[in-house]
Amino acid sequence: MTDATEGTFTALRGQLQEAAATFADGPDALEGILLGLVDDVDRAVREPLEIFPVCHHSPASAIAMARRLREKQPKVVYLELCEDMAPLLTELRNCRLPVAVQAFATEVDGFPAEWSPLSVVAPVTEASAEYQAIAYALDTPGVELVLVDRSSDHVFQWDERGTRDTDPADPDAPPAEEEAALHGDAVGVELGDLRPRFAELEEHLLRHGRVRHWSEWWHQYVELPLGDSDHDTYRQVMLLIGSLFRRLAPGDSHRVRVDEDRERHMWTRMREHLAATGTDPGDCLYVCGAFHAASRVPEFGVHGTDTFVIGPRTATRWQHGLIPSSHAAIEAQFGLAAGSVSIAATLWAKNVGRTRVRPYRLAGQSGAGTPRARRTAAATPASALPSADRLSGFLRRPPVLDPLDEAELLGWSVEVVRAARRNGYLASTADAIAVFETSILLAGMRDRARPTPYDFQDAAVTCIEKDTVPGRRDVRHIVAIMMGGDRIGQVGYDALPPLARDVHDRLAPLNLRLQQRGVQRALLDLAGHPELERCSDVLWMLRRLLPQGAARPIMGERKLGERSIQESWDLALGTHQRALIELGYEGVSIEQVLEQRLRRTAYAPAATTATVLEAVEDATLHLRGRRLPDELGTHALRVLSAERGVDGAPEVLRRVRRLLAYYRTGEPVLPPWIESFVKAGYAHYCTLLPTAFTDEDATVRQVAAMLGFLFSMESLALSLGCDRTQLELAVAQSHPRDPARTALLWAAQTQLGRLTRADLRARCDELLGNPLAVPAYPRYLSGFLHALEPVPALTDFVVEAVSNAFGRLPDPVLLPWLPTLVTSLRSGGAELAPLLIREAGRIFPGRLAALDAWVPPWRARPEPAAAAAVAAGHGSVGGADGGGGQALLAAHPVTCDAVAALLGCEGTWRAADPGPAGAALTALHPDTAAPTRPGRRGARGRSARPRGSAAEPVRRRPSGGW
């Protein structure tokens, strides 16, 4: 080092050498550190391009920045901020601070897919040095603002997930308050991250400073002493602190390596700009964190080396915008103590009034006054003047003890008691006096004459909170609110992305202040005001896209084929403004964003058939037109053909039934994709049915859903060319061993006509009579319960089976498996239990007195005439065990006569055969009965038989199928 450079801090170096020799065993290590600190300060001070070190959200840095900008009037301001965020800074004038500049990417190219979405935020508060520099540069003519830090893309290029250092306060922990989550899981970029990287150093400072956390130490020993200091003192002290933390940081830390790369990047960008514009370095100001100001990289300074190569960005497409921020969000993201940013904002207001420094504010910004005229004559640059040694006097000077402001402390004490009583605490005037005295006592124990807000906070917790918290807020939170509160920013309408502005415009007929935080009630009379249907469409899409609570329906619903005539909504779009803004990064309208998300969900590698059908339903509900639903439905057909499991069968059945019902009632013809889906699903589930009956991974509910698809879609599938023989073969090839699946197979055989109800009743009686099978009887009942999905006609039989078990089994046998029966019904068929309850209510007598004389229907003997009809084969078409179907028709012939008259058939009722002349009707209209005759192929591939009597197909297929 030259003699010229040693002249400024010669005295300080001598003092540090003497201190190192006195307090250390050997002067080498400590002397090297202490002298290195002075070398770093001296190097930064003598740099031709003035370096202004700052700390993030520091009132002292903001005051010093405003003062220095008015003195120096630089022509170029280099700012440590992501270089791709520059175009967004002009929109800050349309916002109410605090807000955050955000870079957002949903589709990544060049990064791992599990990192998506990528988000980088840089919060800005009014009490911050970066805001003062931005406001000065944007509102002063002829001044250029240049962002020189790495781009948002490089933030993740240099990121090593899983190897990053963590602060003592974990910023990744889930916040307790809603406002603390305004930044989401974004990576925070701040100007001037100044905190010890050496854990032992921070612990030492906190212990000897008699404080609890780092924010309180910084407030007491840096903010207050530097609040009204001159420029040289502030600059040298900040450089010294930055050098100290830098030299004591772990040398192999990934975080330090990234910081050094950032410093090389910034100095390379500044030299490129100086060379391109020819600007004098003396007319420039470099605003960066104190940690970076004390850099020792070879690229440091105007005359540094140019060996650093800035790599290219990836192909990831980044979107930029402004999102609302808050003091709590900043504290949570950067590991600061709760309430520290609010206390800093209060201290900023006091410093502005005490020092009479005029801060810079963007013209037209919410809350800003009329901008004053700026000076045009620049002062003599301080970099051209010799910088005196201010460190020696600052380090030798004892701390200045501020006198006690009793009026301020008394006001705090009264206000905190009043706030505590509003929040449920039993506080009184005695507590206010105790808080006042305890604050003075704690400050004296910590060598402070004037209690700080942190001393007052500790005193309030001790005297008021005691051991319980009666409400949502504890005393520490109450004090933080009283000291300034958690200010929440807002992005103005002009600074919103096009999608957000479009949402506000389309919801304008509601006459609500949508940017206001909190919940607002919207009432929509769609019958009286049809123009509000557009607003309803927007609200339902926002409910689908935004987090829960942003748009919550209170009254009204939207289902396929249904529209409400009145709706009521709770809207909190102002509270969830960040989520709405991030939607704007994905498209220019909510319809476009919804379509993109539905496509992304449907075409995801892990998408199932049920997932794609859900996307089809959402597209039908929220988007007009058939283009997207038809495309996604065709894709669902391909996904179904590729599936080899039955996990999603219940959901597939539920959604296909709903879509079919909608298309049948609201469309003239079925879409081609759903016809193909039913046809392919029929063949698909027939193929998987034998395996599913024996697969241990498949549940009874899933197998029942497969059968429900096959039976409920059978008529449509057969009309489209499917063969019923395939289903009959699949059921014949199924051989389950589990009792529940066995009962399900019996139900399927009953539906197909291969098992009569008499046979089914006999099998259940055999199970109840076998002592070895009785313990498994509840599982058979569980299978019958699930069978109500594909065969709802068995509801009365299930009631009969349960009733027989309760009537026949003795209590020693019944009671042990009764809990199993209840748990099986509750876990496996809760949605089907109402069917049993309604059927039981229909069958059993309604009064207790009638129970003694009541005979169950399944035990009642059929009438002789009905029994003869059954024996003759004239039973009802709907059941295999016969019934009085023709007797019922003979007793009420008006219906059949009316149908015969419409069809042009003339006939009479025969006394020997009490029933209508069905053969005559079939002979007159053979085309009607032809599709149901098995035996030969029809026009659509169905089997047909030679024409015979009209009762022939009924006898062959007693389960129906018309």
mmCIF file of all heavy atoms in Angstrom, residues 253-290:
data_model
loop_
_atom_site.group_PDB
_atom_site.id
_atom_site.type_symbol
_atom_site.label_atom_id
_atom_site.label_comp_id
_atom_site.label_asym_id
_atom_site.label_seq_id
_atom_site.Cartn_x
_atom_site.Cartn_y
_atom_site.Cartn_z
ATOM 1 N N SER A 253 -18.369 -21.130 2.271
ATOM 2 C CA SER A 253 -19.816 -21.064 2.185
ATOM 3 C C SER A 253 -20.255 -20.810 0.749
ATOM 4 O O SER A 253 -19.689 -19.982 0.033
ATOM 5 C CB SER A 253 -20.342 -19.941 3.095
ATOM 6 O OG SER A 253 -21.710 -19.735 2.891
ATOM 7 N N HIS A 254 -21.273 -21.552 0.331
ATOM 8 C CA HIS A 254 -21.836 -21.324 -1.010
ATOM 9 C C HIS A 254 -22.401 -19.921 -1.124
ATOM 10 O O HIS A 254 -22.312 -19.292 -2.184
ATOM 11 C CB HIS A 254 -22.931 -22.355 -1.272
ATOM 12 C CG HIS A 254 -23.771 -22.052 -2.474
ATOM 13 N ND1 HIS A 254 -23.304 -22.158 -3.764
ATOM 14 C CD2 HIS A 254 -25.069 -21.617 -2.578
ATOM 15 C CE1 HIS A 254 -24.261 -21.822 -4.615
ATOM 16 N NE2 HIS A 254 -25.330 -21.486 -3.918
ATOM 17 N N ARG A 255 -22.943 -19.407 -0.045
ATOM 18 C CA ARG A 255 -23.507 -18.064 -0.070
ATOM 19 C C ARG A 255 -22.436 -17.013 -0.345
ATOM 20 O O ARG A 255 -22.664 -16.060 -1.091
ATOM 21 C CB ARG A 255 -24.195 -17.794 1.268
ATOM 22 C CG ARG A 255 -24.956 -16.485 1.330
ATOM 23 C CD ARG A 255 -25.692 -16.374 2.645
ATOM 24 N NE ARG A 255 -26.459 -15.149 2.729
ATOM 25 C CZ ARG A 255 -27.171 -14.799 3.795
ATOM 26 N NH1 ARG A 255 -27.195 -15.603 4.846
ATOM 27 N NH2 ARG A 255 -27.846 -13.667 3.818
ATOM 28 N N VAL A 256 -21.261 -17.181 0.243
ATOM 29 C CA VAL A 256 -20.174 -16.223 -0.011
ATOM 30 C C VAL A 256 -19.698 -16.321 -1.451
ATOM 31 O O VAL A 256 -19.410 -15.300 -2.091
ATOM 32 C CB VAL A 256 -19.014 -16.471 0.983
ATOM 33 C CG1 VAL A 256 -17.804 -15.601 0.638
ATOM 34 C CG2 VAL A 256 -19.463 -16.208 2.407
ATOM 35 N N ARG A 257 -19.629 -17.520 -1.990
ATOM 36 C CA ARG A 257 -19.210 -17.666 -3.385
ATOM 37 C C ARG A 257 -20.200 -16.988 -4.322
ATOM 38 O O ARG A 257 -19.808 -16.344 -5.301
ATOM 39 C CB ARG A 257 -19.074 -19.150 -3.725
ATOM 40 C CG ARG A 257 -17.947 -19.854 -2.976
ATOM 41 C CD ARG A 257 -17.627 -21.199 -3.615
ATOM 42 N NE ARG A 257 -18.771 -22.080 -3.606
ATOM 43 C CZ ARG A 257 -19.063 -22.922 -2.613
ATOM 44 N NH1 ARG A 257 -18.286 -22.954 -1.538
ATOM 45 N NH2 ARG A 257 -20.115 -23.717 -2.678
ATOM 46 N N VAL A 258 -21.496 -17.126 -4.029
ATOM 47 C CA VAL A 258 -22.499 -16.452 -4.852
ATOM 48 C C VAL A 258 -22.366 -14.947 -4.718
ATOM 49 O O VAL A 258 -22.480 -14.204 -5.708
ATOM 50 C CB VAL A 258 -23.909 -16.936 -4.466
ATOM 51 C CG1 VAL A 258 -24.973 -16.083 -5.136
ATOM 52 C CG2 VAL A 258 -24.101 -18.394 -4.846
ATOM 53 N N ASP A 259 -22.109 -14.450 -3.503
ATOM 54 C CA ASP A 259 -21.942 -13.008 -3.311
ATOM 55 C C ASP A 259 -20.749 -12.479 -4.099
ATOM 56 O O ASP A 259 -20.801 -11.382 -4.673
ATOM 57 C CB ASP A 259 -21.764 -12.696 -1.824
ATOM 58 C CG ASP A 259 -23.073 -12.797 -1.051
ATOM 59 O OD1 ASP A 259 -24.123 -12.562 -1.673
ATOM 60 O OD2 ASP A 259 -23.046 -13.111 0.150
ATOM 61 N N GLU A 260 -19.664 -13.230 -4.146
ATOM 62 C CA GLU A 260 -18.507 -12.790 -4.920
ATOM 63 C C GLU A 260 -18.804 -12.767 -6.411
ATOM 64 O O GLU A 260 -18.372 -11.853 -7.133
ATOM 65 C CB GLU A 260 -17.319 -13.705 -4.616
ATOM 66 C CG GLU A 260 -16.778 -13.545 -3.202
ATOM 67 C CD GLU A 260 -15.635 -14.489 -2.918
ATOM 68 O OE1 GLU A 260 -15.414 -15.408 -3.761
ATOM 69 O OE2 GLU A 260 -14.956 -14.337 -1.889
ATOM 70 N N ASP A 261 -19.557 -13.758 -6.888
ATOM 71 C CA ASP A 261 -19.953 -13.728 -8.295
ATOM 72 C C ASP A 261 -20.869 -12.541 -8.590
ATOM 73 O O ASP A 261 -20.798 -11.938 -9.664
ATOM 74 C CB ASP A 261 -20.661 -15.037 -8.665
ATOM 75 C CG ASP A 261 -19.709 -16.217 -8.731
ATOM 76 O OD1 ASP A 261 -18.488 -15.970 -8.845
ATOM 77 O OD2 ASP A 261 -20.173 -17.374 -8.659
ATOM 78 N N ARG A 262 -21.729 -12.213 -7.652
ATOM 79 C CA ARG A 262 -22.577 -11.029 -7.837
ATOM 80 C C ARG A 262 -21.714 -9.764 -7.926
ATOM 81 O O ARG A 262 -21.992 -8.870 -8.736
ATOM 82 C CB ARG A 262 -23.566 -10.915 -6.687
ATOM 83 C CG ARG A 262 -24.617 -11.998 -6.650
ATOM 84 C CD ARG A 262 -25.505 -11.868 -5.425
ATOM 85 N NE ARG A 262 -26.238 -10.607 -5.426
ATOM 86 C CZ ARG A 262 -26.967 -10.190 -4.395
ATOM 87 N NH1 ARG A 262 -27.053 -10.930 -3.308
ATOM 88 N NH2 ARG A 262 -27.621 -9.041 -4.476
ATOM 89 N N GLU A 263 -20.707 -9.657 -7.087
ATOM 90 C CA GLU A 263 -19.842 -8.470 -7.122
ATOM 91 C C GLU A 263 -19.075 -8.385 -8.437
ATOM 92 O O GLU A 263 -18.941 -7.294 -9.021
ATOM 93 C CB GLU A 263 -18.877 -8.518 -5.933
ATOM 94 C CG GLU A 263 -19.581 -8.358 -4.588
ATOM 95 C CD GLU A 263 -18.796 -8.966 -3.448
ATOM 96 O OE1 GLU A 263 -17.650 -9.408 -3.683
ATOM 97 O OE2 GLU A 263 -19.319 -9.010 -2.318
ATOM 98 N N ARG A 264 -18.602 -9.508 -8.924
ATOM 99 C CA ARG A 264 -17.923 -9.496 -10.229
ATOM 100 C C ARG A 264 -18.905 -9.085 -11.324
ATOM 101 O O ARG A 264 -18.542 -8.321 -12.235
ATOM 102 C CB ARG A 264 -17.359 -10.887 -10.522
ATOM 103 C CG ARG A 264 -16.248 -11.328 -9.572
ATOM 104 C CD ARG A 264 -15.664 -12.666 -10.030
ATOM 105 N NE ARG A 264 -14.565 -13.075 -9.181
ATOM 106 C CZ ARG A 264 -14.675 -13.942 -8.185
ATOM 107 N NH1 ARG A 264 -15.849 -14.514 -7.938
ATOM 108 N NH2 ARG A 264 -13.630 -14.257 -7.445
ATOM 109 N N HIS A 265 -20.121 -9.596 -11.232
ATOM 110 C CA HIS A 265 -21.153 -9.246 -12.221
ATOM 111 C C HIS A 265 -21.442 -7.757 -12.192
ATOM 112 O O HIS A 265 -21.497 -7.084 -13.251
ATOM 113 C CB HIS A 265 -22.422 -10.044 -11.923
ATOM 114 C CG HIS A 265 -23.523 -9.862 -12.918
ATOM 115 N ND1 HIS A 265 -24.317 -8.732 -12.946
ATOM 116 C CD2 HIS A 265 -23.982 -10.652 -13.927
ATOM 117 C CE1 HIS A 265 -25.210 -8.826 -13.912
ATOM 118 N NE2 HIS A 265 -25.028 -9.988 -14.526
ATOM 119 N N MET A 266 -21.607 -7.178 -11.005
ATOM 120 C CA MET A 266 -21.967 -5.763 -10.904
ATOM 121 C C MET A 266 -20.849 -4.851 -11.391
ATOM 122 O O MET A 266 -21.106 -3.892 -12.130
ATOM 123 C CB MET A 266 -22.362 -5.438 -9.459
ATOM 124 C CG MET A 266 -23.690 -6.059 -9.039
ATOM 125 S SD MET A 266 -24.297 -5.537 -7.411
ATOM 126 C CE MET A 266 -23.190 -6.442 -6.344
ATOM 127 N N TRP A 267 -19.621 -5.133 -11.018
ATOM 128 C CA TRP A 267 -18.525 -4.270 -11.472
ATOM 129 C C TRP A 267 -18.299 -4.411 -12.976
ATOM 130 O O TRP A 267 -17.962 -3.438 -13.660
ATOM 131 C CB TRP A 267 -17.241 -4.598 -10.704
ATOM 132 C CG TRP A 267 -17.206 -3.958 -9.348
ATOM 133 C CD1 TRP A 267 -17.304 -4.569 -8.146
ATOM 134 C CD2 TRP A 267 -17.080 -2.561 -9.081
ATOM 135 N NE1 TRP A 267 -17.253 -3.656 -7.124
ATOM 136 C CE2 TRP A 267 -17.109 -2.406 -7.671
ATOM 137 C CE3 TRP A 267 -16.935 -1.429 -9.871
ATOM 138 C CZ2 TRP A 267 -16.985 -1.168 -7.049
ATOM 139 C CZ3 TRP A 267 -16.824 -0.183 -9.258
ATOM 140 C CH2 TRP A 267 -16.848 -0.055 -7.866
ATOM 141 N N THR A 268 -18.527 -5.607 -13.504
ATOM 142 C CA THR A 268 -18.409 -5.778 -14.959
ATOM 143 C C THR A 268 -19.467 -4.959 -15.686
ATOM 144 O O THR A 268 -19.174 -4.294 -16.692
ATOM 145 C CB THR A 268 -18.548 -7.268 -15.315
ATOM 146 O OG1 THR A 268 -17.531 -8.016 -14.642
ATOM 147 C CG2 THR A 268 -18.420 -7.479 -16.811
ATOM 148 N N ARG A 269 -20.712 -4.971 -15.182
ATOM 149 C CA ARG A 269 -21.775 -4.184 -15.808
ATOM 150 C C ARG A 269 -21.490 -2.693 -15.711
ATOM 151 O O ARG A 269 -21.747 -1.935 -16.671
ATOM 152 C CB ARG A 269 -23.105 -4.502 -15.128
ATOM 153 C CG ARG A 269 -23.678 -5.868 -15.430
ATOM 154 C CD ARG A 269 -23.927 -6.069 -16.910
ATOM 155 N NE ARG A 269 -24.733 -7.260 -17.168
ATOM 156 C CZ ARG A 269 -24.760 -7.895 -18.316
ATOM 157 N NH1 ARG A 269 -23.994 -7.465 -19.330
ATOM 158 N NH2 ARG A 269 -25.509 -8.967 -18.490
ATOM 159 N N MET A 270 -20.953 -2.237 -14.586
ATOM 160 C CA MET A 270 -20.681 -0.801 -14.441
ATOM 161 C C MET A 270 -19.566 -0.348 -15.369
ATOM 162 O O MET A 270 -19.649 0.730 -15.984
ATOM 163 C CB MET A 270 -20.336 -0.486 -12.979
ATOM 164 C CG MET A 270 -21.551 -0.489 -12.055
ATOM 165 S SD MET A 270 -21.193 0.056 -10.369
ATOM 166 C CE MET A 270 -20.363 -1.393 -9.738
ATOM 167 N N ARG A 271 -18.529 -1.144 -15.508
ATOM 168 C CA ARG A 271 -17.452 -0.745 -16.430
ATOM 169 C C ARG A 271 -17.952 -0.770 -17.873
ATOM 170 O O ARG A 271 -17.550 0.067 -18.692
ATOM 171 C CB ARG A 271 -16.244 -1.676 -16.256
ATOM 172 C CG ARG A 271 -15.410 -1.361 -15.029
ATOM 173 C CD ARG A 271 -14.049 -2.041 -15.106
ATOM 174 N NE ARG A 271 -14.210 -3.498 -15.154
ATOM 175 C CZ ARG A 271 -14.282 -4.262 -14.075
ATOM 176 N NH1 ARG A 271 -14.200 -3.713 -12.884
ATOM 177 N NH2 ARG A 271 -14.415 -5.562 -14.187
ATOM 178 N N GLU A 272 -18.811 -1.714 -18.203
ATOM 179 C CA GLU A 272 -19.384 -1.727 -19.559
ATOM 180 C C GLU A 272 -20.197 -0.456 -19.820
ATOM 181 O O GLU A 272 -20.102 0.138 -20.898
ATOM 182 C CB GLU A 272 -20.279 -2.959 -19.723
ATOM 183 C CG GLU A 272 -19.528 -4.281 -19.783
ATOM 184 C CD GLU A 272 -20.470 -5.458 -19.866
ATOM 185 O OE1 GLU A 272 -21.711 -5.235 -19.763
ATOM 186 O OE2 GLU A 272 -20.011 -6.605 -20.026
ATOM 187 N N HIS A 273 -20.975 -0.041 -18.840
ATOM 188 C CA HIS A 273 -21.787 1.171 -19.025
ATOM 189 C C HIS A 273 -20.909 2.413 -19.113
ATOM 190 O O HIS A 273 -21.155 3.322 -19.941
ATOM 191 C CB HIS A 273 -22.776 1.308 -17.868
ATOM 192 C CG HIS A 273 -23.684 2.491 -17.995
ATOM 193 N ND1 HIS A 273 -23.366 3.730 -17.455
ATOM 194 C CD2 HIS A 273 -24.890 2.653 -18.603
ATOM 195 C CE1 HIS A 273 -24.341 4.591 -17.719
ATOM 196 N NE2 HIS A 273 -25.272 3.957 -18.413
ATOM 197 N N LEU A 274 -19.881 2.496 -18.283
ATOM 198 C CA LEU A 274 -18.978 3.652 -18.341
ATOM 199 C C LEU A 274 -18.270 3.724 -19.684
ATOM 200 O O LEU A 274 -18.110 4.815 -20.267
ATOM 201 C CB LEU A 274 -17.971 3.580 -17.195
ATOM 202 C CG LEU A 274 -18.513 3.789 -15.776
ATOM 203 C CD1 LEU A 274 -17.427 3.536 -14.750
ATOM 204 C CD2 LEU A 274 -19.074 5.197 -15.620
ATOM 205 N N ALA A 275 -17.840 2.574 -20.192
ATOM 206 C CA ALA A 275 -17.150 2.565 -21.487
ATOM 207 C C ALA A 275 -18.106 2.900 -22.621
ATOM 208 O O ALA A 275 -17.715 3.563 -23.593
ATOM 209 C CB ALA A 275 -16.512 1.197 -21.716
ATOM 210 N N ALA A 276 -19.353 2.486 -22.517
ATOM 211 C CA ALA A 276 -20.306 2.728 -23.603
ATOM 212 C C ALA A 276 -20.791 4.170 -23.629
ATOM 213 O O ALA A 276 -21.045 4.721 -24.705
ATOM 214 C CB ALA A 276 -21.499 1.776 -23.471
ATOM 215 N N THR A 277 -20.933 4.800 -22.465
ATOM 216 C CA THR A 277 -21.477 6.162 -22.407
ATOM 217 C C THR A 277 -20.420 7.232 -22.223
ATOM 218 O O THR A 277 -20.698 8.410 -22.475
ATOM 219 C CB THR A 277 -22.486 6.258 -21.257
ATOM 220 O OG1 THR A 277 -21.823 5.952 -20.009
ATOM 221 C CG2 THR A 277 -23.636 5.287 -21.466
ATOM 222 N N GLY A 278 -19.231 6.861 -21.778
ATOM 223 C CA GLY A 278 -18.179 7.854 -21.542
ATOM 224 C C GLY A 278 -18.439 8.730 -20.334
ATOM 225 O O GLY A 278 -17.895 9.836 -20.230
ATOM 226 N N THR A 279 -19.263 8.265 -19.393
ATOM 227 C CA THR A 279 -19.578 9.048 -18.205
ATOM 228 C C THR A 279 -18.380 9.089 -17.270
ATOM 229 O O THR A 279 -17.643 8.102 -17.107
ATOM 230 C CB THR A 279 -20.782 8.431 -17.476
ATOM 231 O OG1 THR A 279 -21.869 8.272 -18.398
ATOM 232 C CG2 THR A 279 -21.224 9.299 -16.315
ATOM 233 N N ASP A 280 -18.163 10.247 -16.640
ATOM 234 C CA ASP A 280 -17.106 10.411 -15.653
ATOM 235 C C ASP A 280 -17.489 9.637 -14.392
ATOM 236 O O ASP A 280 -18.595 9.814 -13.860
ATOM 237 C CB ASP A 280 -16.916 11.882 -15.325
ATOM 238 C CG ASP A 280 -15.756 12.121 -14.366
ATOM 239 O OD1 ASP A 280 -15.048 11.144 -14.026
ATOM 240 O OD2 ASP A 280 -15.565 13.271 -13.960
ATOM 241 N N PRO A 281 -16.634 8.747 -13.875
ATOM 242 C CA PRO A 281 -16.974 8.011 -12.643
ATOM 243 C C PRO A 281 -17.292 8.924 -11.475
ATOM 244 O O PRO A 281 -18.045 8.543 -10.577
ATOM 245 C CB PRO A 281 -15.731 7.157 -12.384
ATOM 246 C CG PRO A 281 -15.086 7.013 -13.711
ATOM 247 C CD PRO A 281 -15.358 8.295 -14.443
ATOM 248 N N GLY A 282 -16.741 10.153 -11.470
ATOM 249 C CA GLY A 282 -17.042 11.072 -10.380
ATOM 250 C C GLY A 282 -18.469 11.554 -10.377
ATOM 251 O O GLY A 282 -18.957 12.054 -9.352
ATOM 252 N N ASP A 283 -19.190 11.407 -11.495
ATOM 253 C CA ASP A 283 -20.592 11.807 -11.569
ATOM 254 C C ASP A 283 -21.545 10.653 -11.310
ATOM 255 O O ASP A 283 -22.746 10.773 -11.561
ATOM 256 C CB ASP A 283 -20.891 12.403 -12.956
ATOM 257 C CG ASP A 283 -20.131 13.681 -13.205
ATOM 258 O OD1 ASP A 283 -19.828 14.392 -12.222
ATOM 259 O OD2 ASP A 283 -19.830 13.976 -14.381
ATOM 260 N N CYS A 284 -21.003 9.546 -10.839
ATOM 261 C CA CYS A 284 -21.824 8.350 -10.626
ATOM 262 C C CYS A 284 -21.868 8.006 -9.141
ATOM 263 O O CYS A 284 -21.014 8.437 -8.353
ATOM 264 C CB CYS A 284 -21.274 7.163 -11.410
ATOM 265 S SG CYS A 284 -21.123 7.451 -13.188
ATOM 266 N N LEU A 285 -22.864 7.217 -8.778
ATOM 267 C CA LEU A 285 -23.021 6.745 -7.407
ATOM 268 C C LEU A 285 -23.423 5.276 -7.470
ATOM 269 O O LEU A 285 -24.378 4.912 -8.161
ATOM 270 C CB LEU A 285 -24.094 7.552 -6.671
ATOM 271 C CG LEU A 285 -24.248 7.256 -5.175
ATOM 272 C CD1 LEU A 285 -23.008 7.703 -4.417
ATOM 273 C CD2 LEU A 285 -25.493 7.939 -4.617
ATOM 274 N N TYR A 286 -22.691 4.443 -6.752
ATOM 275 C CA TYR A 286 -22.931 3.003 -6.731
ATOM 276 C C TYR A 286 -23.560 2.656 -5.386
ATOM 277 O O TYR A 286 -22.915 2.744 -4.344
ATOM 278 C CB TYR A 286 -21.612 2.267 -6.935
ATOM 279 C CG TYR A 286 -21.677 0.763 -6.756
ATOM 280 C CD1 TYR A 286 -22.800 0.028 -7.103
ATOM 281 C CD2 TYR A 286 -20.583 0.064 -6.235
ATOM 282 C CE1 TYR A 286 -22.851 -1.339 -6.936
ATOM 283 C CE2 TYR A 286 -20.623 -1.311 -6.071
ATOM 284 C CZ TYR A 286 -21.762 -2.002 -6.415
ATOM 285 O OH TYR A 286 -21.803 -3.365 -6.251
ATOM 286 N N VAL A 287 -24.838 2.266 -5.415
ATOM 287 C CA VAL A 287 -25.590 1.940 -4.201
ATOM 288 C C VAL A 287 -25.632 0.423 -4.074
ATOM 289 O O VAL A 287 -26.199 -0.265 -4.929
ATOM 290 C CB VAL A 287 -27.017 2.514 -4.263
ATOM 291 C CG1 VAL A 287 -27.751 2.232 -2.965
ATOM 292 C CG2 VAL A 287 -26.984 4.007 -4.556
ATOM 293 N N CYS A 288 -25.034 -0.083 -3.005
ATOM 294 C CA CYS A 288 -24.988 -1.533 -2.794
ATOM 295 C C CYS A 288 -24.961 -1.810 -1.305
ATOM 296 O O CYS A 288 -24.800 -0.904 -0.474
ATOM 297 C CB CYS A 288 -23.768 -2.155 -3.481
ATOM 298 S SG CYS A 288 -22.194 -1.652 -2.763
ATOM 299 N N GLY A 289 -25.098 -3.062 -0.951
ATOM 300 C CA GLY A 289 -25.021 -3.460 0.440
ATOM 301 C C GLY A 289 -23.615 -3.302 0.983
ATOM 302 O O GLY A 289 -22.625 -3.407 0.251
ATOM 303 N N ALA A 290 -23.525 -3.040 2.288
ATOM 304 C CA ALA A 290 -22.208 -2.846 2.900
ATOM 305 C C ALA A 290 -21.350 -4.091 2.777
ATOM 306 O O ALA A 290 -20.121 -3.998 2.693
ATOM 307 C CB ALA A 290 -22.389 -2.455 4.362
#
